[in-house]
Amino acid sequence: MAEAVTAGGAGHSVETRRMIAFLCMVFGMFMAILDIQIVSASLSEIQAGLAASSDEISWVQTSYLIAEVVMIPLSGFLSRALSTRWLFVASATGFTVMSFMCATANSIDQMIVYRALQGFLGGGMIPTVFASAYAVFPREKQPIVTPMIGLVATLAPTIGPTIGGYLTDLFSWHWLFLVNIVPGIFVIITSVTLIDFDEPDLALLDRFDWWGLLFMAGFLGSMEFVLEEGPTNDWFDDETIFYFAIVGVVSGIAFFLRVLTAREPVVDIRAFQNRNFATGSAFSFVLGIGLYGLTYLYPIYLSWVRGYSALMIGETMFVTGIAMFVTAPLAGRLMTRVDPRLMIGIAFAGFALGTWRVTGLTKDWDFWELLVPQILRGVSLMMAMIPITNLSLGTLHPSQIKNASGLFNLMRNLGGAVGLALINTVLNDRWDLHLARLHEQVQWASSAAMERLDSMTNAFASFGSDADSAALRQMAAMVRREALVMSFADVFYLLTFLFLALVVFAPLMRRPSHVGGGGGGH
């Protein structure tokens, strides 16, 4: 009897230790994902501080994304070779050190290098947490664990601009990176002392596929670069983008040939043979568009059209974060009571409803007009993320989860990259189209245009002889603004149709007999 009590107490102690270790890992993942977007609202301040050009400053974000997207699929192999503990410790240590280095950078070149290293090293934390959630915890813990990682994975990039805006406004842009130091040290210490999920297999390092890594880096890095820079640089008309596209295609072909023939491939793509995982990854790809695309669209509307500061944008966007936080426990409970495919369908319908409401956008929309669309987005993100993750990873064999987790997270990030490229391309093209159409209407032959111009000229009477030119400049600015607002509405129409299409495809996923716990449901 005493032995049974002792065993039960030990089991409870181990379970508590694992949950605490997992919570610390989730916190580390939160920092890594947060840093994708934390600089987005403060790029102008960093640009001024480092005396960078407008072309150079975008690399503060691009370098992080390119490096991270290479590490995410690589993390599966490294986790098996080094163990979850030592990969996470190395990743957290590198991320923390590079955060400090970013804060001390005194040139744009240094900042780009440090941000790339920060993204590469920190990227290992993200899929490791997802893998641990399904490889370590039993099925009955999934309603607790899955909402936790789903909330962090979607909340962190959503509130990134808000936190970044506050830090820059209250202190300086250096604190965007210094804020990671103390929490980073905490995560490193707890990871060393508490994580004991598995053992390393160092023999795998002897068979490490360096060619596979090179091809993967060329493929994913070039793809990310082309998608990031293409919309603003006329795509393949730009020589650099054209050459990187060639590198990406050649590297991609070589990478897939290598993955299919290598004895120990750097990334194992066999998880895509599982229908749920393949379909779930496609859903994750589109979810990335909803996550990163809308986190990008709302702030640039508020900045370009409404003239909001970084802090005002952050306060307006915070509604989505609150909606997600409130929805997470509800979504976790629904997973045990409702068909997850129904949840996914409802979630993407919510996305579509939210974006459809914004198709009526005008130059006067602010917090209250954007309130309901942002709530719908926050609720939909959680209602989609949790069942998609559970159906995709929760039915794989435990031996596949580490590799599959990297691929699953990669698909979400690639979805964000493709979504941003698509959004920027459509936005620019439709802006040009609407400008041309408005220019046809606002001309000397238009009596309405001439009446408005005369009214504006009278308003600038105090400018004397410059009144006419001041009125013309203001009218030109109004035309550009209206064309921009119309192009935003077009993008929201496009996203509405995309999300509606996902509602139709939700039944393609199979409801497994074992959801969660790594129960190998093939």
Side-chain angles (χ1 to χ4, degrees):
M1 183 72 174
E3 288 178 4
V5 171
T6 304
H12 179 74
S13 174
V14 169
E15 188 173 292
T16 303
R17 174 193 175 102
R18 286 192 165 189
M19 184 57 77
I20 294 171
F22 182 73
L23 287 173
C24 295
M25 291 174 70
V26 168
F27 187 62
M29 181 181 79
F30 176 81
M31 292 194 303
I33 300 178
L34 182 73
D35 258 55
I36 298 172
Q37 295 289 347
I38 198 170
V39 302
S40 62
S42 307
L43 286 175
S44 57
E45 287 83 357
I46 299 173
Q47 180 181 351
L50 298 177
S53 70
S54 55
D55 291 334
E56 292 172 327
I57 196 61
S58 63
W59 277 91
V60 173
Q61 203 157 357
T62 302
S63 59
Y64 187 97
L65 290 169
I66 289 175
E68 185 187 57
V69 86
V70 174
M71 170 53 89
I72 285 176
L74 179 63
S75 63
F77 179 92
L78 293 178
S79 182
R80 287 184 294 133
L82 303 177
S83 77
T84 299
R85 171 195 281 175
W86 294 115
L87 173 63
F88 205 85
V89 168
S91 191
T93 302
F95 177 82
T96 305
V97 170
M98 286 304 122
S99 295
F100 176 77
M101 297 305 292
C102 286
T104 62
N106 52 33
S107 73
I108 187 63
D109 292 335
Q110 287 183 0
M111 175 63 82
I112 290 170
V113 171
Y114 296 151
R115 278 286 283 175
L117 290 170
Q118 186 191 32
F120 183 76
L121 295 168
M125 289 190 276
I126 301 168
T128 305
V129 172
F130 275 80
S132 298
Y134 291 94
V136 174
F137 295 100
R139 178 186 175 190
E140 59 268 19
K141 295 291 181 185
Q142 295 307 314
I144 301 171
V145 173
T146 311
M148 197 184 304
I149 60 172
L151 178 63
V152 167
T154 51
L155 182 64
T158 302
I159 66 171
T162 306
I163 293 176
Y166 272 112
L167 288 173
T168 304
D169 193 66
L170 294 174
F171 305 107
S172 72
W173 65 262
H174 302 83
W175 281 91
L176 300 173
F177 308 106
L178 290 174
V179 73
N180 293 326
I181 306 301
V182 173
I185 293 171
F186 169 76
V187 169
I188 293 165
I189 294 171
T190 53
S191 298
V192 170
T193 54
L194 295 177
I195 297 175
D196 58 353
F197 303 157
D198 50 21
E199 295 297 325
D201 184 4
L202 297 178
L204 287 173
L205 295 176
D206 296 332
R207 304 193 297 273
F208 186 75
D209 184 11
W210 291 102
W211 282 109
L213 174 61
L214 179 66
F215 294 143
M216 183 177 73
F219 170 48
L220 295 176
S222 297
M223 184 194 304
E224 186 77 30
F225 173 80
V226 170
L227 291 171
E228 285 284 321
E229 299 296 314
T232 54
N233 291 288
D234 297 322
W235 289 101
F236 303 119
D237 289 339
D238 182 277
E239 268 192 23
T240 306
I241 292 175
F242 177 72
Y243 289 132
F244 266 100
I246 292 174
V247 170
V249 171
V250 173
S251 299
I253 294 170
F255 168 68
F256 284 109
L257 288 174
R258 189 76 184 178
V259 162
L260 296 172
T261 57
R263 177 186 172 193
E264 191 69 54
V266 70
V267 177
D268 187 353
I269 61 173
R270 284 176 295 180
F272 284 110
Q273 294 175 338
N274 180 297
R275 190 173 97 181
N276 262 18
F277 180 76
T279 312
S281 294
F283 277 103
S284 182
F285 183 90
V286 179
L287 191 67
I289 299 175
L291 175 60
Y292 293 107
L294 294 176
T295 301
Y296 170 77
L297 264 178
Y298 287 124
I300 63 170
Y301 163 78
L302 292 170
S303 175
W304 293 1
V305 177
R306 299 289 296 160
Y308 278 22
S309 67
L311 190 59
M312 292 167 69
I313 292 171
E315 289 171 347
T316 305
M317 294 286 291
F318 199 63
V319 173
T320 299
I322 295 173
M324 291 164 63
F325 197 82
V326 172
T327 307
L330 173 64
R333 285 182 174 274
L334 285 175
M335 272 296 298
T336 61
R337 293 171 169 81
V338 178
D339 187 332
R341 296 169 299 180
L342 178 62
M343 287 180 65
I344 293 170
I346 292 172
F348 280 105
F351 264 124
L353 179 59
T355 51
W356 178 75
R357 286 180 65 95
V358 191
T359 56
L361 190 70
T362 71
K363 64 180 177 60
D364 299 315
W365 278 40
D366 58 12
F367 178 86
W368 294 109
E369 284 81 9
L370 293 173
L371 178 65
V372 173
Q374 288 204 86
I375 291 173
L376 284 169
R377 175 177 170 242
V379 171
S380 300
L381 273 169
M382 291 313 304
M383 291 286 285
M385 181 69 175
I386 292 172
I388 289 172
T389 305
N390 227 18
L391 289 179
S392 301
L393 297 177
T395 56
L396 291 171
H397 191 274
S399 63
Q400 292 181 296
I401 287 178
K402 288 184 177 181
N403 268 313
S405 175
L407 294 170
F408 181 77
N409 283 277
L410 174 66
M411 292 299 290
R412 187 177 65 251
N413 279 29
L414 288 180
V418 171
L420 290 177
L422 176 69
I423 286 168
N424 276 321
T425 301
V426 173
L427 199 59
N428 291 334
D429 290 347
R430 299 297 290 182
W431 193 4
D432 290 339
L433 176 66
H434 290 305
L435 264 177
R437 288 178 175 173
L438 289 176
H439 282 158
E440 291 173 3
Q441 298 175 26
V442 182
Q443 53 182 313
W444 300 114
S446 169
S447 58
M450 292 307 299
E451 287 175 13
R452 184 63 182 270
L453 185 61
D454 289 340
S455 173
M456 292 166 64
T457 303
N458 292 333
F460 286 113
S462 60
F463 284 59
S465 60
D466 292 329
D468 287 341
S469 58
L472 278 171
R473 281 196 300 272
Q474 186 176 40
M475 179 168 276
M478 288 173 59
V479 169
R480 286 185 63 81
R481 183 187 62 197
E482 289 304 317
L484 177 60
V485 171
M486 293 165 75
S487 65
F488 272 112
D490 290 343
V491 171
F492 282 109
Y493 268 118
L494 179 64
L495 291 175
T496 299
F497 292 130
L498 176 65
F499 294 137
L500 280 176
L502 267 292
V503 177
V504 178
F505 288 110
L508 286 178
M509 297 189 85
R510 287 183 293 204
R511 185 174 186 178
S513 55
H514 295 88
V515 179
H522 293 274

